[in-house]
Amino acid sequence: NAGVTQTPKFQVLKTGQSMTLQCAQDMNHNSMYWYRQDPGMGLRLIYYSASEGTTDKGEVPNGYNVSRLNKREFSLRLESAAPSQTSVYFCASSEIAFTYGANVLTFGAGSRLTVL
Amino acid sequence: AQSVTQLGSHVSVSEGALVLLRCNYSSSVPPYLFWYVQYPNQGLQLLLKYTSAATLVKGINGFEAEFKKSETSFHLTKPSAHMSDAAEYFCAVSVGQASGYSTLTFGKGTMLLVSP
């Protein structure tokens, strides 16, 4: 099984350009997440989708939009990229999103984005 | 609000030595806690999770963690380090969101360096 697949793995953008990061999971999970990882900052949640048809903001949503295309796919869009968005982006999924519980996340391999 | 703090951005040990990675949590409710590992250029993988069933939790690759409520700690240990344990380790806690669902909040990570 592929698990969580992210594309592209690497991307270089110029300031102001737009792009979409794609994520797909084949585990029939209901919930999906986008995190960004920066040195010394750990992982910070950008957006999540608890179930198909819903999306919610996380800790650092500014400058991003998401689309839960169907149960399998969750995309992250940068409308006008800024150098501050240079980061490694991780998509993750979990079987369900508990109202409060032990969500076990499965992560993709990451997408490294550089904005010049 | 729930949070975790990892003490030490880098920990160095010799092969065969004890590994101790520190994590303290802050939570007003019984916490759900996790340790994840990230090998170079990969996504995060679950090492172990605490869900209140037992205070000593055993994970993969010989790692274990002990939940200590009195110390608000969830430190990760391994009796004997192996070169293959060199990676970055993240402590995480489940956090309730305004949406009614829960997500994971990660610590800033601890890089484990293992020398021969």
Side-chain angles (χ1 to χ4, degrees):
Chain A
N1 288 337
V4 178
T5 303
Q6 294 181 231
T7 56
K9 294 190 186 312
F10 301 94
Q11 183 73 49
V12 178
L13 291 177
K14 293 181 180 179
T15 297
Q17 287 186 317
S18 63
M19 76 157 298
T20 300
L21 299 176
Q22 306 285 357
C23 175
Q25 52 90 9
D26 63 1
M27 297 171 286
N28 201 34
H29 283 175
N30 288 289
S31 304
M32 299 184 74
Y33 312 81
W34 277 106
Y35 285 87
R36 61 178 287 174
Q37 182 180 27
D38 302 291
M41 299 293 290
L43 280 79
R44 293 179 292 169
L45 182 64
I46 305 171
Y47 271 94
Y48 63 101
S49 172
S51 61
E52 188 179 355
T54 70
T55 60
D56 287 285
K57 296 178 180 179
E59 181 183 356
V60 288
N62 290 346
Y64 305 95
N65 286 300
V66 291
S67 296
R68 183 74 182 266
L69 304 171
N70 48 55
K71 190 173 184 179
R72 292 185 63 248
E73 298 173 287
F74 188 39
S75 63
L76 179 71
R77 183 161 178 84
L78 287 70
E79 291 290 353
S80 178
S84 61
Q85 294 178 303
T86 293
S87 187
V88 181
Y89 291 85
F90 287 97
C91 178
S93 68
S94 65
E95 191 170 353
I96 60 174
F98 292 97
T99 51
Y100 183 62
N103 292 336
V104 175
L105 271 58
T106 300
F107 282 83
S111 298
R112 185 175 295 275
L113 175 65
T114 301
V115 183
L116 302 175
Chain B
Q2 294 94 326
S3 65
V4 289
T5 301
Q6 292 184 243
L7 302 176
S9 59
H10 291 80
V11 170
S12 296
V13 300
S14 300
E15 193 172 20
L18 171 71
V19 175
L20 172 60
L21 304 181
R22 301 177 186 273
C23 174
N24 288 91
Y25 70 89
S26 172
S27 179
S28 58
V29 296
Y32 293 97
L33 297 162
F34 308 78
W35 276 100
Y36 280 81
V37 60
Q38 183 181 31
Y39 298 104
N41 300 313
Q42 296 186 24
L44 279 71
Q45 303 173 33
L46 180 68
L47 270 179
L48 50 83
K49 64 179 180 180
Y50 168 74
T51 60
S52 77
T55 57
L56 183 61
V57 182
K58 294 186 183 298
I60 62 172
N61 300 337
F63 284 93
E64 62 182 36
E66 186 172 8
F67 175 75
K68 292 187 176 180
K69 185 178 179 180
S70 60
E71 299 177 7
T72 61
S73 68
F74 189 57
H75 301 333
L76 182 70
T77 60
K78 182 174 180 177
S80 177
H82 192 273
M83 295 295 289
S84 61
D85 295 327
E88 191 160 21
Y89 292 79
F90 292 92
C91 184
V93 64
S94 191
V95 176
Q97 298 287 347
S99 65
Y101 296 101
S102 62
T103 61
L104 289 192
T105 290
F106 289 84
K108 295 185 177 181
T110 298
M111 185 69 72
L112 176 65
L113 307 170
V114 183
S115 56

